[in-house]
Amino acid sequence: MRIILAVIILTGAMINVVAQSKKSNPKKDAVIKSVLNHEKELIKLSDEVWSYAETALKEVKSSKVLADYAESQGFRVKRGVANMPTAFIAEYGNGKPIIGIMGEFDALPGISQKAQPTKEALVTGAGGHGCGHNLFGAGSLGAALAIKELIEQGKLKGTVRFYGTPAEEAVGGKIYMARDGLFSDVDVCLDWHPDVEISANMQSSQAMVDFVVEFKGKAAHAAADPWNGRSALDGLTLFLDGVNTLREHVRPSVRMHYVIQSGGDVPNVVPEYAKLWMWVRDSKREGVDEVFARVKDIAKGAGLMAGVEPKVTVQSGDYELLVNQKGAETLQKNIETLGPIVYSEEEIAFAKKIQEVSGGKQVGLDGKIHALKPTKEHPEGGSTDVGDVSWLVPEITALVTTAPANAPWHSWAVVACGGMSIGHKGMVFAAKSLAMTMVDLYENEQLRKDIQAEFENRKGSQVYKAYIPDGPPPVPSRN
Ligand SMILES: [Zn+2]
């Protein structure tokens, strides 16, 4: 009995060795090792960016800490690209193929939060990383660094390029970088996004246009001589009546939302100026254009009715994301090789507490690997400037758990998880899976060709034209 058992064990071990040598790729093992070697530094970078919580185009410290780290690791760093002081490119290697990877680092205003499972601001009124972009930037840089080391050792040929892309939550930094041709020579670009589950992304995002509507009227005493006044606020409220009536006559995939930024100062002065900031979204750019044309007509009509001057100014906008199945399948295989993220009891308790506090079902964290999902006809709500890049170069996106489901996104809950080990684990996973996929892309020319062919096919004859206006990006003046 004992002898037979020994034979079985030996045979099992041998099979295991054979299976491993067939499956394992030394370059993929090397990038995983590299990410682990730099894990502490990547976590430190992510935590620093998390604590700065700088919003769109004000990410001065966040951008610097990432660019400095890239430089210290031997990347050639170009700062302030595309006329944005916080945009940068870190590159290593030479020639083709050029594989790009993007990293964001901007926060959202007003949602500062401590890394704890109950709502409490770290700095009252300050920003917070409610979309996990602190993890996004550091994780992508970790993947780029792992590839840089293989190029340095002569094990991969070509160029790795990290794009430090500011202002995703407003403005759309990537769109300005795209306008300056910074993606024009890239073969394939990768990125990832913090999420509540893990898989390669096969879903598009909404196209959208970001614009302001202003009305100019005539001030007068609201009681003494109102007949001499023309209320800009009347123009604005009539405009909103029109927009909200329009809702019945647009496709269900359309989303319209706005905030009023100015509507007069005091009741006894007829408001001479009113301003509203609005976004129109739909599943595709054509849908957005169609609704936006009607919204512009509504602004004209409202101006006529109130006797005030309307003005519509486009500030920005995103294309819908073009997915790439071949690329996603390649990434998915690597994600599956890595296997699920395992959480400690403390982490699960942390997540459940967040779910309890936010009134969601207490299901904890989802660290398992989800299968590639078929692309839905209409994406779920949300837009990204990665969409614009995806019309210029084939794009592969990983989604990795960094927060629990059943808690609100863009909120304190995501900020809390992004500043502790739940977020860190997701970031490290993302860095590994993206670096492994980059190894595939460098090594397999046919794969790059197939990805490119699918990209051309999906793009078809539609010509990319960004929504952003001419002129420099709206960089806030320093004060
Ligand atoms: Zn985001």
Side-chain angles (χ1 to χ4, degrees):
M1 210 39 202
R2 288 179 83 172
I3 296 164
I4 295 170
L5 191 66
V7 170
I8 291 170
I9 289 166
L10 187 65
T11 316
M14 281 165 71
I15 290 166
N16 205 16
V17 167
V18 173
Q20 267 194 2
S21 65
K22 248 189 185 173
K23 259 172 85 181
S24 85
N25 172 332
K27 288 173 200 168
K28 289 189 184 176
D29 293 345
V31 291
I32 292 172
K33 217 173 142 217
S34 164
V35 172
L36 293 176
N37 284 344
H38 297 288
E39 186 176 3
K40 279 204 181 105
E41 296 153 27
L42 298 175
I43 289 174
K44 187 167 171 272
L45 280 176
S46 168
D47 283 352
E48 279 182 62
V49 174
W50 183 87
S51 68
Y52 300 146
E54 296 165 303
T55 55
L57 294 182
K58 294 180 191 156
E59 318 95 331
V60 178
K61 286 187 271 184
S62 311
S63 163
K64 183 176 180 338
V65 77
L66 292 168
D68 285 353
Y69 180 71
E71 209 162 56
S72 75
Q73 292 296 321
F75 284 84
R76 303 184 292 271
V77 177
K78 261 187 258 164
R79 298 170 199 245
V81 298
N83 285 315
M84 292 176 288
T86 53
F88 71 96
I89 284 179
E91 192 176 78
Y92 189 85
N94 285 297
K96 286 276 197 176
I98 303 172
I99 308 297
I101 182 162
M102 296 188 281
E104 298 172 1
F105 39 79
D106 63 325
L108 287 152
I111 52 166
S112 174
Q113 165 68 27
K114 291 183 178 171
Q116 66 181 40
T118 49
K119 192 168 181 288
E120 189 184 345
L122 182 69
V123 182
T124 306
H129 274 285
C131 207
H133 294 179
N134 59 307
L135 303 162
F136 186 167
S140 292
L141 187 52
L145 177 56
I147 295 298
K148 178 251 162 190
E149 290 175 357
L150 285 188
I151 295 176
E152 191 175 23
Q153 292 158 19
K155 291 177 182 158
L156 291 177
K157 273 204 175 69
T159 306
V160 59
R161 191 183 290 156
F162 174 84
Y163 289 87
T165 65
E168 191 277 334
E169 299 290 3
V171 180
K174 294 179 198 72
I175 310 171
Y176 288 91
M177 294 170 89
R179 187 178 71 179
D180 275 18
L182 300 182
F183 294 96
S184 60
D185 56 352
V186 184
D187 290 274
V188 182
C189 203
L190 296 94
D191 76 312
W192 72 287
H193 203 284
D195 206 279
V196 297
E197 57 181 56
I198 307 169
S199 80
N201 178 50
M202 272 302 289
Q203 304 308 320
S204 184
S205 56
Q206 290 176 310
M208 64 92 114
V209 59
D210 168 332
F211 57 98
V212 290
V213 185
E214 292 164 289
F215 293 93
K216 251 193 179 151
K218 237 164 79 185
H221 192 299
D225 65 336
W227 48 86
N228 284 327
R230 295 290 179 270
S231 168
L233 182 61
D234 287 354
L236 191 147
T237 52
L238 286 165
F239 169 76
L240 286 180
D241 280 350
V243 162
N244 290 318
T245 307
L246 176 67
R247 285 188 200 278
E248 190 184 347
H249 308 288
V250 296
R251 291 176 204 283
S253 51
V254 171
R255 296 286 181 277
M256 297 188 273
H257 24 256
Y258 53 82
V259 289
I260 296 170
Q261 295 189 300
S262 175
D265 301 312
V266 283
N268 60 351
V269 176
V270 172
E272 139 173 86
Y273 178 75
K275 184 181 180 188
L276 168 129
W277 181 15
M278 182 165 172
W279 293 6
V280 171
R281 311 195 207 217
D282 199 0
S283 306
K284 291 197 178 353
R285 166 83 189 234
E286 303 99 89
V288 171
D289 286 345
E290 203 182 302
V291 175
F292 185 43
R294 295 169 75 185
V295 168
K296 283 192 277 193
D297 279 345
I298 291 171
K300 273 189 220 158
L304 268 178
M305 280 192 280
V308 296
E309 203 53 53
K311 189 178 167 201
V312 178
T313 311
V314 173
Q315 302 193 122
S316 186
D318 297 326
Y319 265 68
E320 70 272 22
L321 183 80
L322 273 191
V323 293
N324 192 292
Q325 172 127 15
K326 190 76 198 170
E329 282 168 0
T330 308
L331 169 63
Q332 181 71 16
K333 269 187 211 138
N334 290 314
I335 285 177
E336 282 167 11
T337 304
L338 284 174
I341 298 181
V342 180
Y343 295 103
S344 69
E345 277 178 27
E346 293 78 35
E347 287 161 344
I348 294 166
F350 190 99
K352 285 187 174 172
K353 184 73 193 169
I354 285 180
Q355 286 158 338
E356 183 198 324
V357 172
S358 45
K361 213 169 159 202
Q362 290 177 52
V363 291
L365 289 152
D366 185 349
K368 63 181 181 291
I369 310 301
H370 287 252
L372 260 194
K373 293 183 185 128
T375 310
K376 291 182 201 151
E377 190 188 349
H378 297 293
E380 281 168 24
S383 312
T384 168
D385 57 4
V386 176
D388 285 61
V389 177
S390 77
W391 281 81
L392 300 169
V393 50
E395 176 62 36
I396 306 173
T397 304
L399 302 174
V400 183
T401 302
T402 63
N406 302 334
W409 202 262
H410 273 197
S411 85
W412 67 273
V414 176
V415 187
C417 293
M420 50 82 73
S421 59
I422 294 172
H424 299 155
K425 279 188 177 174
M427 174 187 71
V428 169
F429 185 97
K432 289 180 192 166
S433 64
L434 291 169
M436 290 163 81
T437 306
M438 289 163 94
V439 169
D440 287 322
L441 291 167
Y442 282 100
E443 288 197 307
N444 189 341
E445 191 184 351
Q446 189 56 45
L447 174 65
R448 295 197 303 271
K449 280 186 180 162
D450 291 347
I451 286 173
Q452 180 68 29
E454 183 184 333
F455 164 70
E456 296 293 347
N457 190 33
R458 283 182 187 268
K459 195 171 58 151
S461 57
Q462 188 163 339
V463 180
Y464 169 79
K465 190 179 177 317
Y467 269 119
I468 49 170
D470 294 338
V475 177
S477 54
R478 295 205 178 181
N479 48 28

